[in-house]
Amino acid sequence: MTAITVHPVLRVAPAAPPEAAAHFRAALAFHTDVSDVAAALASGDDPGFVLVDSRSTEAWEQGRIPGAVHLPTALVREQAAHLLDRSVPVVTYCWGPGCNGAARAALALAELGYPVKEMLGGFEYWVREGLEFETWQGRERRAPDPLTAPAEAGDCGC
């Protein structure tokens, strides 16, 4: 008799399709990504949300997404009411996947009553995908990193 090998991927079986659908639907209620935010901002229409950069002032000055509002995570509770409208959804971002500042800012905003999502990838992936960013010296754009965005296409086709 031959032993059946169960690889690590399937040692815990996938969730039943209805449970998986509920999980992924919920995940999309909490997160968005760089590509979707960029498309919404580039559409020329009101995107229906305000983009919040939750990084420090030093990070903000190093580079930011055009049109973002600067609201450092540490100041959300004190300044959100002066900068944001509770009826408009907020999308937070921080440095990148290795930083939880956007999640902490989103938590603080949710606790204050704001509808909120976190932008996965943060400023790092915005720049790595070749999207325009700004500094005090003006606007810049870098070539897309082929590990994060298709070099020859406008989007990843997701």
Side-chain angles (χ1 to χ4, degrees):
M1 181 177 234
T2 325
I4 297 174
T5 303
V6 177
H7 296 284
V9 171
L10 297 177
R11 280 192 191 134
V12 174
E19 292 171 8
H23 167 81
F24 293 114
R25 187 175 298 106
L28 292 171
F30 299 110
H31 299 112
T32 188
D33 66 20
V34 166
S35 184
D36 288 345
V37 169
L41 295 176
S43 73
D45 298 326
D46 176 1
F49 62 87
V50 61
L51 185 61
V52 168
D53 184 320
S54 65
R55 299 172 304 146
S56 68
T57 299
E58 294 79 13
W60 167 264
E61 290 175 355
Q62 201 172 317
R64 61 201 163 272
I65 297 172
V69 171
H70 185 223
L71 179 56
T73 300
L75 301 176
V76 167
R77 294 188 188 287
E78 156 186 338
Q79 294 184 1
H82 304 294
L83 297 172
L84 305 171
D85 179 341
R86 274 194 178 82
S87 68
V88 177
V90 176
V91 174
T92 62
Y93 75 89
C94 200
W95 272 114
C99 176
N100 68 3
R104 288 185 289 113
L107 171 60
L109 288 163
E111 289 175 343
L112 292 171
Y114 292 87
V116 63
K117 287 187 172 196
E118 177 187 7
M119 183 180 79
L120 299 175
F123 185 69
E124 175 189 352
Y125 275 70
W126 185 273
V127 174
R128 288 180 75 184
E129 290 191 15
L131 298 165
E132 187 176 68
F133 64 97
E134 62 185 1
T135 67
W136 295 115
Q137 291 78 38
R139 293 195 175 199
E140 282 183 53
R141 182 183 300 262
R142 296 185 182 164
D145 179 340
L147 296 176
T148 64
E152 303 300 323
D155 64 43
C156 66
C158 297

